[in-house]
Amino acid sequence: MPLDQYNRDIDYLRISLTDACNLRCVYCMPEDMTFRPRHELLSDDELRRLITLFGSLGFRKIRFTGGEPTLRSGLVDLVRHATSTPGITTVGLTTNGVLLDKLAQPLRDAGLQTVNISIDSLDEDKFRKLTRWGNLRDVRAGLDAAARAGLRVKLNAVVCRGVNDGPDVIELARLTLANPWQVRFIEQMPFGNNSDFQTKGMVSEAELVALLEKTFGKLELVNDGKLDGEARLYRLPGAQGALGFISPVSAPFCAACNRMRLTADGVLRLCLLRDNEINLLNHLRGGASDQVIADCIRGAVHEKPWGHGLAQHLIPAARGMSQIGG
């Protein structure tokens, strides 16, 4: 496995397939968002080449993200390539679920193992307010299709103060009582032009745990608090599933970070909340050999920063969340 300068194993690559999305979530992007033209994004061939290279360098896990990755017409073939790449052992997808109803089974047949579905509220009006024009029924249909296809399911909810930080959290948590899913509550993180809204809207893990314990009783801490990826896990009394809390602001997990991010326009981002980036697209289209690109990736891994600078009020400004891939 590739090691960074702090001796962390960096073996997880999140690949953004597009910056475009069919929703406009209030914490993610403005309603009148302009997306990059297709020719500025990595092609399917370029993505396949990079996936093969990352596998050869010791990366073991790949997650396809967006924007909204199901908008990418070659998604199923890219998943098939990733699952057949030597070295890659786990391939997942993060999606808003709107198009998953038709794609879940083809993706599973291509080898996809896990799917994370964004769903911030089970209330139709609240869901539409948060996504600006989303239809909750589409997401529920995608969730049902994923479960039928045998995909491991996690649900992601970004909690916004004063919007979905009360009954919505309780009802989402209740899903774990009868389903073997992980429902994950994610703290808002500040990015660029939306940082003021995101900072004021952040609801901490401690607040959410206190809220849930008032309703369900004492939560059971799973694995003695050891992180599952980036999530600290709890379980409701008698629940089949688990609750995950992803708390990069109130409880940073930088010491355990093992991931890099490849943006849709071919930039390797070293930390989600830092603007350190290495442009791989220029190498690909400039005729660089696999060895040159591999050396570039190794160098980027080595230079991965220890952690974000939120405590020092350093706010990433170069890209919004949808332009990075989360």
Side-chain angles (χ1 to χ4, degrees), residues 1 11 55 58-62 82-92 111 113-114 152:
M1 296 179 185
D11 64 349
F59 281 75
R60 299 291 176 253
K61 179 178 180 179
I62 283 178
T83 59
S84 63
T85 296
I88 304 298
T89 59
T90 305
V91 179
Q113 297 154 296
T114 70
R152 295 202 301 273

Side-chain angles (χ1 to χ4, degrees), residues 17 22 31 36 38 59 68 105 116 131 161 164-165 167 170 173-174 182 185 193 198 211 282 289 296 314 320:
L17 297 181
N22 44 6
E31 191 166 5
R36 289 182 177 273
R38 184 68 186 84
F59 281 75
E68 174 46 46
Q105 190 61 57
N116 292 9
T131 61
R161 188 175 300 282
N164 65 334
D165 56 337
I170 292 169
R174 200 183 302 277
Q182 188 183 119
F185 299 109
N193 294 334
Q198 291 158 331
L211 170 67
N282 288 345
S289 67
C296 184
L314 298 176

Side-chain angles (χ1 to χ4, degrees), residues 187-256:
E187 289 181 349
Q188 288 196 70
M189 294 166 277
F191 284 89
N193 294 334
N194 212 22
S195 62
D196 187 56
F197 170 85
Q198 291 158 331
T199 300
K200 291 178 180 177
M202 195 275 287
V203 182
S204 71
E205 175 181 333
E207 292 177 81
L208 294 177
V209 169
L211 170 67
L212 291 168
E213 289 190 333
K214 285 182 181 179
T215 302
F216 297 103
K218 184 70 174 177
L219 302 188
E220 174 193 350
L221 187 63
V222 177
N223 295 333
D224 296 321
K226 183 180 178 181
L227 295 181
D228 175 35
E230 61 270 71
R232 184 173 292 103
L233 299 185
Y234 296 81
R235 184 170 285 111
L236 298 180
Q240 292 188 39
L243 302 176
F245 293 84
I246 300 177
S247 311
V249 180
S250 67
F253 41 85
C254 304

Side-chain angles (χ1 to χ4, degrees), residues 15-18 38 44 47-48 51 62-66 68-83 91-95 99-100 102-104 106-108 110-112 115:
I15 300 177
S16 172
L17 297 181
T18 177
R38 184 68 186 84
D44 288 0
L47 280 164
R48 282 189 283 266
I51 289 168
I62 283 178
R63 176 166 294 278
F64 292 107
T65 70
E68 174 46 46
T70 59
L71 295 177
R72 181 85 178 220
S73 60
L75 173 61
V76 173
D77 287 336
L78 288 169
V79 166
R80 185 176 293 108
H81 176 80
T83 59
V91 179
L93 176 75
T94 295
T95 172
L99 301 177
L100 196 56
K102 300 294 192 295
L103 283 170
L107 287 167
R108 184 71 183 99
L112 189 74
V115 62

Side-chain angles (χ1 to χ4, degrees), residues 4 54 63 81 105 120 143 168 172 190 225 270 273 289 299 313:
D4 70 1
F54 276 99
R63 176 166 294 278
H81 176 80
Q105 190 61 57
D120 301 320
L143 171 57
D168 305 273
L172 284 164
L270 312 192
L273 290 165
S289 67
H313 307 290

